[in-house]
Structure formats: structure tokens, C-alpha cells
Amino acid sequence: MKKKPMDYPIFITTIILVCFGIVMVFSSSFYMAQHREEIQDSYYFLKTQSQWAVIGLVVMIIMSNFGYWRLKKYGGALLVLGIGLLVGVLFFGVNLNNVRRWYNVFGVSVQPSEIAKFTLIIYLAASISKNKDRIKRPIAGLGYYLLIVGIMAGLIFIQPNLSTAISFVILALIILYIGGAKMLHFGVLAAGGITGVMVLLKKVDPTDYRMRRYLTFLDPWVDPAGDGFQVIQSLYSLGSGGLFGMGLGQSRQKFLFLPYAETDFIFAIIGEELGFIGASLVIVLFLILIWRGIKIAITAPDLFGCLLAAGITASIGLQTVINIAVVTSSMPATGLPLPFISAGGSSLAFFMAGIGVLLNISKYCEKA
Amino acid sequence: MSVPGITNRKRLLMMLIVFTVVLVGLIGRLGYIHLIWGKELQEKAVGQWTRDLAVYPRRGKILDRNGNVLAQSGNSETIAARPNQIKDPKGVAALLAPILDLDEDKLYQKLSDTKSSFVWVKRQVSRETANDVRAFGIRGIDFTEEPKRYYPNRDLASHVLGFTMKYAEAEDGLKGQEGIELYYDKYLKGLPGKIVMETDAKGRETPDNVDRYVPPINGLNLTLTLDLVIQHFAEKAASDAMEKYQAKKVYAIVMDPNTGEVLAMVNRPSFDPNDPPRELGYEGMQDYIKNFLAKDNLDPGSTFKVVTLAAALDMGAMTLHDTFNCAGFRVFDGNERIRCHKAGGHGHQTFAEAVENSCNPAFVDMALAMGKDKFYNYIEAFGFGKKTGIDISGEAQGIVIPREAVKTLDIARIGFGQSISVTPLQLISATAAAINGGNLMRPYLAKALTETKVNEETGEEYEVLIKEIEPQRMRQVISGETSKDVAKLLQGVVDNGSGANAYLPGYRVGGKTGTAQKYGEDGRIVQGRHVASFVGFAPADDPQVIVLFVVDEPQVAVDFGSVVAAPYVQMILKDTLPYLGVEPIFDQETTELNKKVEVPNLIGKNLVEGYAILDEAELNYLADFEEGSGTTIKDQMPKPGAKVKIGTTVLLYANKQDSDDREETGEVTEDGLVIVPDVIEKSIREANNILTSEGLKLKIEGSGIATEQDPAAGSQVESGSEVTVKFAIPDQ
């Protein structure tokens, strides 16, 4: 295959986002890091995030030079690995308040769902592209894939981690949709899904505390000290930012008012310090990434590359949308970090690896 | 190798569109939060970013009318802690507990409660103690200056001043809880300043915080109408009466009758506002801290007759030339019967005599002559049934039977001060109006508000007058002419009648006694419990000062206002008049009144005879038995032979036992002989006092201390006999 230069807009956008992320992680975390009993080091998150960014950069460059088609033959093995890790974490994961989501690998926490997500993307892309017509079959095709997705999502659900499980399913549906599943089947699926949800909703007592919890985003002030707390603090951050923000490093909410300011709610600090303009620019950067990623998928030389690019792009886009929606109190709170920006080492490295794969595919695209 | 088909590409485009739409939608949402909702959100956010440290204002001083300090504020140190900044609560507790005299375990619990960002360690400690703790330089231990209220005169005028809440709260500074401190709290307290500090969620100062200081505005100083000196006079009299009579309560008020300015206000029992009896609880404390002068409803008794008298004269229902007949009771409405306090009645009396005798039937006649509506108009005009408007919170308003419900019997009784309830303050205000020319003045305590300013060049403090409170005339109640007559009649009460004990040589004193019954919780009269009162003023022809003295449940058998309360009004007037620059004038009128007469011996006589003899001697009389003029007088007070002023009341007892209770030394035998008391080792003056009080005469031989007496102590002699006592200067 003819080789072309990689897609620079994606590369540059990614580098900008990662660098910007390091700055924001430092800004939002230094006070907390200084005062946290077990850290007491203002630069702690700056250091770890920078280290991971370097690791991520190396992995990205490696992946951008690693022929993506070679991944195709490992699809099945990777799937088994992904499922294995998900099963293993239930037994060997770090137990935190009866929740097992992470492995502790030499002091580094790794989320198996993170790895499983990429193995699923690769497996689905590989399997669908092997036999273009299989996915059109309701049972042996779509049904089979959904079974695999269901098993993985189910394993994540019992960690328990409902929000990641749901995003997992949505990501899989996007790939299956791009991969050519029949709209009729989707229709039936959707009808079934809607009926299921309706039945569930009927059973659920609307005053049940879990139900209320999911609905606090509609009016967080119903329970300002409890479920509404994070969202209210997030809104305070954004609201204080105004049009231009309070200036880089000038957030007040990071003085322990806003929980998870350096991870899940880092976007609120961005809004507070850089205002509506800064926050919107970050969204625009993600839009550029999504646009270039989909462009690569469309122009990919083969279906595997196409679906792989689509899957990676979708996972970035999906997580961005969910994170920002949560921060702006537009959907129920979940625990998903903002790609490239939130502190959290392994996540950054995996996303950069994904970008590396995208860049590699871009080198073989038909048209620049 | 399969290639992406047209479907794949179309769907990818669809994915791009959906993501774009969703993300643009989120930009819209963001815009709404940032730009439209933002202001409101930011305001709420700012509230949690800052902590205000209140800076206490200085509470204003309370001064008497001459600028003497009655209440002022000082600072005391208070030690606080921020538990989340204390590294070693155990060690700190062990270190501080002994110095601060605190329980170590409790202190440890406080200091280790890292959930709270601020706790008091100990409030209001001495500066030395605070410095000792400061010397340790413990991180997380803070010092603040907390204001404390000082009342340098302790219990003087404590019921007027009131006190402040136990501790100053940061938001408010010192806060008034009772009395003037409460009533004028908003002027006295000032406005707290603050230090605004940016903090993190746990209350710790943020790294780039710059404190913003808003200085406090100090409270205004309040000058009262009280006069420290007159207050002292009244306090002294009240303490004396309280001790002498073992009374339940004693209260006194001294007022300027022309302006309504309260010059002194005393309640007993008392308390020290520096340390109010909080341990008794709110209810228990009331007995000590309540200003009963404004808050007690009492039956006025005869003192109310001033009102009846003034009203009857003013409306013309009566004239000074009217006369009364008193047979000891009055029957009206066919069968309603009201008794006079004097058994057998006062007989035929002129108007002035009826007032001097405080004759109940005469006042019934006056009340009935006016009729319900006219009398009620006056009662209302004199301010009864309504608050006087004095600057005391929680003033009572007395109880007046509603006009629609009042019966003739009630009107008759109100005429001599029953069937109506008044506050002592209403009573003195109304009396003042009756004698000051007819003007009802609002009684008041606050005279002026001033602000302490500092001269920026010299640093000297000076006072700026903010507001002066002027006397407030509520209304003209009676005419000036009537008022003159009333004052004159009341002077007669002191000169010739039941008020003789308030007589002051050289002054024209007017006044009226009162002895009111007390009602139990069941609403029935309680036997043997009375409220003795006297309202007096001077000079009667130009009143400068008016005094009301009330003794609630005096523990003596003779508990009439004339005996119990009048001497104290005299005592207060005697001190106050010269202090106010009112000098005694010994003209013919006042000198003649000073003439003394000897008390005749009435023992063994019957009542009617006794009355006649006393009338002859220009003395008044009061008997402890009412009916049956044939009863024999067994004892009298003062004793026969004693020299007293004209008009003094002689008490007559039908029962010997009674008088024994009353007189500690006095002993009179069955047949009217006096038992000679022991005067050995007494001085000449003491011996004279003892003997004259028994109706005996002293014949002095020598000088010094009594060594011999003849007749000997214990022997029985005729009243008025001479006792020869030898005095000698002791060897040592």
C-alpha cells in the first residue's frame, strides 16, 4: 500500500489537548494535592500527568508506525484477553468500598474496562470486516455480537460500574451501526429496548432514592448537600467563569469546593478559569478530532481500518459528550473522565495509543 | 480484503452529524450557564468562598444625667481554636487544660473534632492567662478580643439598666437582654465590622488571600434622666425598708413632676447586672430582675383617691365648700354597703378634712357625684388602663373594668382605689399630673443620645449630640386651678392628716397614703397581706420632685402606708430637695406645723373617748378594731408622754398581745402601768430615747454612762413618771 504523511490536524489537536490537559490538571490539583494527607505535594499530579503524557506520546508514535492491519489477526485473542481482565478484576482488583474496578500494577492503577473497550473495538472491526454479510444476519450476526457486548457490559455492570457499562453498549452499537447492521434489526432492537425500559420504569418507584439520584441533575438544589452537591459545585464553577473566565490558575472552586476537580470535573475548572470562550474552544478541538477521525474512517483503505477508526473516534466523542453533559448538569452524574485532559494516567495513554492507530490508518487513506 | 461500502460511509457521515449537533448543543448549554445563569450562580459561589471574621463594635456607654457612667464596655480576651489546623490535639489539651482550668478530656474532644473549623476554648479570660497561652505559639489556637459589659455601680439602678446577653456573639456584638440595654439596643450596639478572608472548603485561608477590613461602627452613648445621687438616696431608703420590714418587694420612683423625667427608680430585691442570677433560669430570675414599677399591676388603695379628688373638683361635681358625713359606712343603691376604715366614722367633715382623713364614704360620694361616664373620662385621661409609654419593654397597663361592664358598686369602690388595678408608674404619673398644673407627662428614662468622636489631630475623644429627647406632654387632664387646689389639699394630708410621717420641717410636702389589700390566685382577698404605699411631693406650691414608695407585704402588724411607706418618702425628700437646690423655708406656716405636742394617755379609755382626746390634742388616730365603740383601748403607739408633731397618727390597740408583737421594748401592764425598762450602761441619749418611747421622763444626774436608775428596771409606774438615772464616766 502507498504510504502518505499522517493526518497532521489530528496529531496537532491531540498534542494541544494533552498539553492543555497537563496545565489544567496542575491548576486544578495543586491545592488539593498540597493538602491531601497522603500526598502533600503540589506538583504530584503535574508530575504523574506529565509522565503519562510522555509514555502516551511514545505509545502514540509507536502505534502510528505499527501497520494497523496487523491488529486484525489478534482480534479474537484480544477479545479473550479483554474478557479475562474483566473477570479477573472481580477477584484480584483493588477493593474500594466493595467496588472492584482497578488493577494495581506496580503502583499504577489500570482500569480493565479501558483495555476491554479497545479490545472490543478491534475485535468488532476485525470480525465484521472478515465477513461483510455476517452482520446482516439477525442471530448469527448482530445477535452474536450483541451477546459478546452483553457479556462484557454485564461484567462491568457487576463491578459495579453502570455508567461505564452503558457507554460500553452505546459504543458497540455505534460500531455495529457503522459496520452495516440492518436498520430493521436496529428497529426491532430499539422497540424491544424501549419496551424493556418502560416495563422497568413502571416497576421502579419514582420516590426510590436511586431513581431520585438519577434525576437530581434536573434540579440539583433538591438535595444540595447530598446527590446534588457535585453538580451544584460544578455549576458554581462554570457560572463564576462568565464569558472570559477568572484567568488561568484563578479558580476558587478548586480550593476543595469542587470534588474531583482534576478528573471528572476538570471541564468545570476550565470553564471557571477560561470562561465560556475557553470552554467552547475545548469543545471545538474535540469536534476537530471527531471530524478528522470520521474523515479517516470514510477514506480508510479497507473496512477494518474504517471500523477501527470509527470505533476509536466514537469512543473519544462519546466520552467527551458524556463528561461535558455531566459537568453542565445535562444528564445524570457518571464517573467518566474527559479524554486527554482529565488526570488519570492509563486512560491518557490508551487514548493516545488510539490516536496513534488513527494516525497510522490516515497514512493509507485514499484521499488526503 | 473488503472495502468500506457506501452504507458504511453514509452512516459515518450520520455519526459526524449527530456528534456535531450534540456538541454544539452542549456549547449552547454552556453559554446559558456561563452567560445567563452565571450571575446568580456566582453570587451563591462567592458566599462559600469567603469567611467573615466579625470585628466587634464598642457598645455605647450608659450615663446618668450628669455624665456619670452607669454601664460601659471593655474588652476581655477569648481563646478559640481551629481543630483542623491542630496537629497534636492530645498534647495541646494536656498543655492548656491546667492553665485554663478546663477538663482535659473535654478539651481534647473539642480540639480533635476536625469536622468543625472553629470552636471556643475558653471565653473571657484575663489578659495574663491569654498571654501565657499565647507564649506557646500553638498553631490553630486563636485569640480574639471579646467585649464585656461592666456596671461600675453594681446593683445600683440595675432594674433600669438591665444587662446584656452572657456572651457576645460575633454577628451582633454585645446584645441587650433586659432593661435599657434591651430597649435601646439598636442605638447602643453599633454595627460590627468584619475581616473578609478567602478560604477553602474547610475554612483554611487560601494562599493568595488578602484580608479585607471593614471597620466597625461603635454604638451611641445614652444619657439617662436618672440622677446617680438621687438614685443613691432612693436605693438607701429601699434597702432600709426591705431589711426593716422583711418585705416581699420594695420599690420606689423619684420623678420630676413637671417633665416626667425619672430621677431614680429602685426595686428590691435587687441583682448585680455584672453577674445576673442566670442560674435561676429565666422564670426564677424574674423575681430579681423585673422592673415591677412598670410591670406590676396592683390595687392602688387610697393613693388613688388623688385621682377621684382631682376629677371631682375639675368637673365641678364637688367644690371645696362641700362637706361630708361619715358614719363609718355608706349605704347606696338600697343595700350596697361600703365601710370606712375608721370604726364609728369620721362624723361631719369639711372637704379638706375628708381628704386628710382619707374618708372612704367621702370618696364614694365624689365618685358617685361624677357618675360613671365622667369619672371614666378622667380615669382614662389620667392614663389608667393604658401604657404610660415609658421606655421600658414589656410595660404593663393595669386593669380597668371596661366602661360597658362597670357597675355602680364598682364606681363607688374605684372612688377610693379598689376594683381597679394600676402600675406604680401610672399612679405616680397621674399624681404628678394632678399636682403639676394638670399636665399628664410621659415618664421617660432616655434623655440624650451622643456619639463619641475622636479628634484626628489631638486624638482626644469628644461627644457629639445626636438626639435629645424632650419632655412629652400627653394631654391636659385637669385645669391649672384645680391642680393648685389638689396640691393644697394633699399638703393638708401631710400637715394635718394621715401623711404626717412624711412631714419635713421647712418644706411644704404634699402626699397621700395607701394601704391596699392583696388578692390571692383565687381572686379573693388574702388576709393580713397588704401593699403599703405613699406618694409624696414637694414643695406643694411649686412641685419639683415627686416620690412614690411601695412596700409589698411588710412583715409587721401595722402595715399601713402612713406608717410603713411615708417615713421613707420623707427620707428621700429630705435628701433630694436640698440636693436639687430647694432650700427649706421657715415661714410662719411651716414653723407652726413644726410645733410638737405630748401624746395623751388613752389606755383604759374607750374608743370614743380616745378619739375625742386625740382630736383635742390635734393628733390623728387609727384603731386596729373597727366596730364597737365601747371597746377599751389596751395599748397605744406612740406611748403616752412622747413628744410628737401635730397631726401624727396614734395607733390604738384593743388587744395587748398585738402591741407586744410590735414593740420590742415596750411593756405595759394590764392596768395601764408602764414597766420601767433597763437603761444601765446606756448613754444619756440612748436612755432618753428608751424612756420617752415608753412614755417616761428622764431625770439626768451626772454625765457619761448610766450606772444607776430609780425606779429600778421592772418596776411598775404610772405612765409619764420620772425616772432618775445617774451617769458617770467609766474608769477606763
Side-chain angles (χ1 to χ4, degrees):
Chain A
M1 270 192 282
K2 264 195 286 173
K3 234 173 136 181
K4 295 184 304 170
M6 66 179 175
D7 188 278
Y8 282 104
I10 282 198
F11 180 73
I12 291 164
T13 307
T14 303
I15 297 299
I16 291 173
L17 281 173
V18 170
C19 291
F20 177 70
I22 293 170
V23 172
M24 289 317 296
V25 163
F26 176 56
S27 174
S28 58
S29 72
F30 80 89
Y31 189 79
M32 175 274 285
Q34 186 187 341
H35 286 88
R36 187 170 285 180
E37 206 61 44
E38 66 271 21
I39 300 175
Q40 296 190 10
D41 174 7
S42 305
Y43 302 105
Y44 176 81
F45 287 95
L46 173 67
K47 287 182 210 160
T48 50
Q49 188 74 355
S50 307
Q51 283 163 9
W52 278 106
V54 171
I55 294 168
L57 189 67
V58 172
V59 175
M60 186 169 85
I61 290 166
I62 291 171
M63 290 314 288
S64 69
N65 289 305
F66 179 81
Y68 72 91
W69 61 88
R70 279 182 245 172
L71 289 169
K72 196 171 175 180
K73 59 179 177 239
Y74 300 122
L78 284 170
L79 179 72
V80 173
L81 172 72
I83 292 174
L85 286 172
L86 286 178
V87 173
V89 81
L90 298 175
F91 300 100
F92 310 112
V94 181
N95 188 338
L96 204 81
N97 302 326
N98 262 343
V99 175
R100 291 176 190 272
R101 289 181 187 171
W102 301 279
Y103 284 109
N104 190 337
V105 186
F106 307 117
V108 177
S109 58
V110 180
Q111 281 210 44
S113 58
E114 208 75 66
I115 298 166
K117 183 169 68 187
F118 286 103
T119 61
L120 181 73
I121 292 169
I122 294 166
Y123 172 75
L124 285 178
S127 177
I128 294 166
S129 59
K130 257 183 210 152
N131 184 348
K132 260 177 111 169
D133 299 323
R134 183 177 174 185
I135 194 165
K136 297 195 169 63
R137 307 226 298 269
I139 308 295
L142 188 62
Y144 164 74
Y145 292 130
L146 285 176
L147 178 68
I148 288 170
V149 171
I151 289 168
M152 295 177 91
L155 286 168
I156 296 169
F157 176 72
I158 59 175
Q159 285 178 351
N161 192 348
L162 177 64
S163 51
T164 303
I166 290 174
S167 71
F168 208 88
V169 172
I170 295 171
L171 174 64
L173 288 175
I174 292 172
I175 296 169
L176 293 172
Y177 168 73
I178 306 289
K182 284 203 160 174
M183 288 312 285
L184 176 70
H185 298 157
F186 270 123
V188 173
L189 214 63
I194 290 167
T195 323
V197 170
M198 295 291 271
V199 170
L200 263 174
L201 280 180
K202 277 236 167 113
K203 274 193 180 168
V204 172
D205 177 2
T207 59
D208 182 83
Y209 83 97
R210 275 166 300 192
M211 196 61 197
R212 280 211 319 261
R213 241 181 120 164
Y214 286 117
L215 294 177
T216 42
F217 79 95
L218 295 173
D219 182 10
W221 276 272
V222 169
D223 187 11
D227 297 330
F229 182 74
Q230 288 182 12
V231 177
I232 287 173
Q233 294 302 332
S234 175
L235 289 173
Y236 282 175
S237 283
L238 295 174
S240 305
L243 184 60
F244 297 105
M246 298 175 79
L248 189 62
Q250 298 300 308
S251 158
R252 294 296 337 273
Q253 285 289 97
K254 67 189 176 193
F255 291 117
L256 313 184
F257 293 105
L258 176 64
Y260 306 112
E262 78 288 1
T263 55
D264 298 350
F265 284 93
I266 197 164
F267 190 74
I269 300 291
I270 294 170
E272 187 182 352
E273 297 196 345
L274 304 175
F276 174 61
I277 291 181
S280 301
L281 276 174
V282 171
I283 295 179
V284 169
L285 287 175
F286 279 108
L287 260 177
I288 291 170
L289 219 53
I290 291 163
W291 162 52
R292 296 307 296 186
I294 289 174
K295 184 174 181 292
I296 290 166
I298 290 173
T299 56
D302 58 2
L303 188 57
F304 176 65
C306 166
L307 293 178
L308 196 57
I312 291 166
T313 308
S315 81
I316 294 168
L318 196 59
Q319 208 162 314
T320 304
V321 166
I322 290 174
N323 180 277
I324 295 174
V326 168
V327 168
T328 55
S329 191
S330 313
M331 64 171 277
T334 62
L336 290 182
L338 187 62
F340 306 111
I341 294 180
S342 287
S346 61
S347 162
L348 176 63
F350 281 116
F351 273 116
M352 289 182 81
I355 292 292
V357 174
L358 268 183
L359 290 173
N360 183 260
I361 299 169
S362 73
K363 291 179 183 172
Y364 304 98
C365 282
E366 293 159 8
K367 298 165 267 183
Chain B
M1 193 171 81
S2 51
V3 184
I6 192 79
T7 317
N8 303 119
R9 288 178 176 166
K10 264 190 192 161
R11 290 183 175 184
L12 278 165
L13 209 60
M14 192 65 201
M15 172 176 150
L16 179 61
I17 291 165
V18 170
F19 267 118
T20 307
V21 167
V22 171
L23 282 171
V24 168
L26 283 174
I27 290 177
R29 169 78 175 157
L30 210 52
Y32 168 74
I33 295 170
H34 271 295
L35 307 176
I36 297 167
W37 199 4
K39 269 234 141 33
E40 184 194 333
L41 288 168
Q42 190 177 17
E43 270 167 29
K44 288 182 179 168
V46 168
Q48 68 177 16
W49 296 342
T50 55
R51 291 285 148 96
D52 293 354
L53 273 185
V55 180
Y56 297 102
R58 190 169 65 190
R59 190 174 176 84
K61 285 186 271 203
I62 301 177
L63 309 162
D64 90 331
R65 61 191 299 127
N66 299 316
N68 297 304
V69 173
L70 300 176
Q72 64 185 358
S73 297
N75 284 336
S76 66
E77 293 224 44
T78 280
I79 302 175
R82 299 178 187 280
N84 54 18
Q85 294 189 16
I86 292 179
K87 282 267 156 66
D88 173 22
K90 189 117 205 154
V92 173
L95 192 63
L96 297 187
I99 299 174
L100 297 173
D101 195 23
L102 293 171
D103 184 75
E104 191 180 322
D105 288 338
K106 279 189 189 154
L107 182 59
Y108 169 68
Q109 273 174 16
K110 264 190 191 176
L111 297 181
S112 55
D113 178 19
T114 44
K115 262 179 261 157
S116 51
S117 59
F118 182 90
V119 292
W120 298 113
V121 175
K122 189 165 187 183
R123 304 179 76 158
Q124 306 198 340
V125 299
S126 73
R127 199 159 297 268
E128 294 74 45
T129 312
N131 283 337
D132 288 349
V133 175
R134 196 175 274 124
F136 292 120
I138 302 163
R139 194 179 125 98
I141 295 286
D142 281 357
F143 300 84
T144 60
E145 294 253 306
E146 208 176 0
K148 187 171 164 53
R149 199 70 164 158
Y150 293 103
Y151 302 89
N153 301 299
R154 299 184 168 277
D155 63 355
L156 182 118
S158 51
H159 297 83
V160 176
L161 299 175
F163 47 89
T164 55
M165 303 269 188
K166 189 169 186 185
Y167 292 123
E169 288 304 332
E171 297 301 315
D172 304 311
L174 287 166
K175 201 169 161 53
Q177 189 178 338
E178 288 287 340
I180 285 288
E181 296 275 26
L182 172 63
Y183 197 90
Y184 288 105
D185 191 51
K186 68 173 173 178
Y187 299 111
L188 291 166
K189 70 180 177 190
L191 272 175
K194 57 184 175 181
I195 297 169
V196 183
M197 200 172 76
E198 292 195 346
T199 63
D200 70 8
K202 290 182 173 169
R204 290 175 294 215
E205 208 174 316
T206 58
D208 47 358
N209 167 54
V210 179
D211 288 352
R212 207 152 44 80
Y213 178 62
V214 183
I217 298 169
N218 290 329
L220 298 177
N221 300 325
L222 181 64
T223 301
L224 299 183
T225 57
L226 292 189
D227 187 308
L228 186 63
V229 176
I230 300 175
Q231 181 74 28
H232 266 300
F233 297 153
E235 298 268 356
K236 188 180 66 184
S239 292
D240 199 73
M242 188 73 180
E243 193 183 332
K244 182 165 179 189
Y245 298 124
Q246 297 296 307
K248 191 175 164 200
K249 292 189 293 243
V250 170
Y251 34 81
I253 176 168
V254 182
M255 216 165 88
D256 180 336
N258 303 305
T259 60
E261 286 170 281
V262 177
L263 300 172
M265 211 175 202
V266 181
N267 283 253
R268 287 288 179 280
S270 192
F271 70 99
D272 182 354
N274 291 302
D275 184 22
R278 294 183 209 272
E279 64 279 3
L280 301 176
Y282 178 79
E283 285 298 326
M285 200 158 67
Q286 294 305 313
D287 287 344
Y288 294 90
I289 67 163
K290 201 164 161 184
N291 192 344
F292 288 102
L293 283 158
K295 300 181 183 182
D296 222 6
N297 289 323
L298 55 89
D299 268 31
S302 300
T303 38
F304 191 79
K305 288 171 181 166
V306 176
V307 173
T308 313
L309 162 71
L313 286 176
D314 192 61
M315 75 166 283
M318 289 276 164
T319 72
L320 292 171
H321 306 296
D322 284 320
T323 57
F324 301 93
N325 266 308
C326 170
F329 57 87
R330 180 66 86 241
V331 177
F332 61 95
D333 267 13
N335 55 357
E336 300 288 3
R337 186 184 166 97
I338 284 174
R339 286 193 306 185
C340 191
H341 57 85
K342 180 173 176 177
H346 293 99
H348 186 266
Q349 311 161 89
T350 65
F351 196 98
E353 283 168 346
V355 174
E356 286 160 18
N357 293 333
S358 195
C359 175
N360 286 351
F363 285 90
V364 170
D365 290 351
M366 288 187 218
L368 296 177
M370 282 184 274
K372 180 181 85 173
D373 278 317
K374 293 271 169 54
F375 191 22
Y376 254 64
N377 288 345
Y378 279 103
I379 289 172
E380 281 167 11
F382 270 112
F384 294 102
K386 278 195 293 281
K387 296 180 177 180
T388 64
I390 195 172
D391 29 7
I392 293 173
S393 350
E395 190 190 355
Q397 53 186 20
I399 303 158
V400 178
I401 300 172
R403 200 185 274 252
E404 318 80 68
V406 72
K407 298 190 200 78
T408 312
L409 177 64
D410 299 322
I411 292 290
R413 296 173 70 90
I414 293 170
F416 59 94
Q418 289 183 6
S419 298
I420 189 166
S421 223
V422 307
T423 67
L425 205 57
Q426 285 174 335
L427 191 61
I428 193 171
S429 300
T431 311
I435 54 110
N436 70 1
N439 298 309
L440 183 71
M441 305 301 295
R442 179 183 80 97
Y444 67 104
L445 286 162
K447 200 168 166 55
L449 280 169
T450 56
E451 187 180 356
T452 305
K453 296 227 173 180
V454 181
N455 184 318
E456 296 202 350
E457 282 170 24
T458 62
E460 278 171 28
E461 290 191 346
Y462 61 99
E463 298 289 314
V464 178
L465 184 69
I466 301 294
K467 187 184 159 100
E468 189 154 17
I469 293 108
E470 299 290 337
Q472 193 184 344
R473 196 180 82 148
M474 307 301 284
R475 65 189 77 89
Q476 176 107 29
V477 186
I478 57 173
S479 72
E481 285 304 305
T482 311
S483 176
K484 273 208 168 66
D485 291 340
V486 172
K488 191 81 194 156
L489 285 165
L490 295 178
Q491 190 190 339
V493 172
V494 173
D495 288 346
N496 314 313
S498 49
N501 284 331
Y503 177 77
L504 200 54
Y507 289 103
R508 290 178 173 82
V509 178
K512 188 74 197 79
T513 65
T515 309
Q517 287 149 327
K518 289 199 81 171
Y519 295 87
E521 295 201 343
D522 55 356
R524 296 173 61 174
I525 291 169
V526 183
Q527 291 300 328
R529 287 201 202 157
H530 293 111
V531 179
S533 58
F534 191 86
V535 57
F537 57 93
D541 50 352
D542 177 22
Q544 295 299 306
V545 58
I546 183 165
V547 181
L548 172 66
F549 201 93
V550 182
V551 181
D552 190 352
E553 293 188 23
Q555 299 299 309
V556 283
V558 183
D559 54 4
F560 305 113
S562 55
V563 178
V564 170
Y568 288 102
V569 171
Q570 189 232 36
M571 189 192 267
I572 294 170
L573 286 175
K574 190 177 165 186
D575 291 333
T576 305
L577 288 167
Y579 170 75
L580 291 177
V582 184
E583 298 297 336
I585 305 161
F586 291 98
D587 58 12
Q588 210 211 326
E589 185 190 341
T590 56
T591 316
E592 186 181 316
L593 287 163
N594 211 14
K595 201 174 69 189
K596 294 210 171 176
V597 293
E598 197 167 294
V599 179
N601 188 354
L602 304 169
I603 295 163
K605 308 250 174 0
N606 71 34
L607 260 189
V608 179
E609 288 168 349
Y611 291 163
I613 295 165
L614 287 172
D615 273 341
E616 190 82 14
E618 293 187 76
L619 292 170
N620 277 312
Y621 40 85
L622 207 51
D624 71 337
F625 51 101
E626 301 186 10
E627 300 295 326
S629 50
T631 315
T632 309
I633 297 166
K634 292 268 171 60
D635 196 5
Q636 69 180 75
M637 208 180 80
K639 302 296 178 195
K643 292 240 168 150
V644 297
K645 205 182 65 61
I646 287 170
T648 303
T649 303
V650 176
L651 295 165
L652 304 175
Y653 303 109
N655 196 331
K656 168 82 173 54
Q657 200 56 41
D658 281 356
S659 72
D660 282 351
D661 292 344
R662 267 146 238 171
E663 277 294 320
E664 285 173 20
T665 55
E667 284 181 56
V668 179
T669 59
E670 284 289 323
D671 46 3
L673 294 177
V674 180
I675 295 170
V676 177
D678 185 359
V679 296
I680 303 298
E681 293 194 342
K682 304 285 183 204
S683 69
I684 294 176
R685 226 186 48 191
E686 283 169 334
N688 188 40
N689 285 345
I690 294 167
L691 292 173
T692 46
S693 76
E694 294 299 313
L696 299 170
K697 285 173 187 155
L698 171 67
K699 193 178 172 214
I700 306 165
E701 285 183 11
S703 65
I705 302 293
T707 53
E708 282 174 43
Q709 71 177 75
D710 178 41
S715 40
Q716 299 185 6
V717 297
E718 282 275 339
S719 184
S721 305
E722 203 165 74
V723 177
T724 310
V725 182
K726 279 187 182 162
F727 295 89
I729 294 168
D731 295 338
Q732 279 325 104

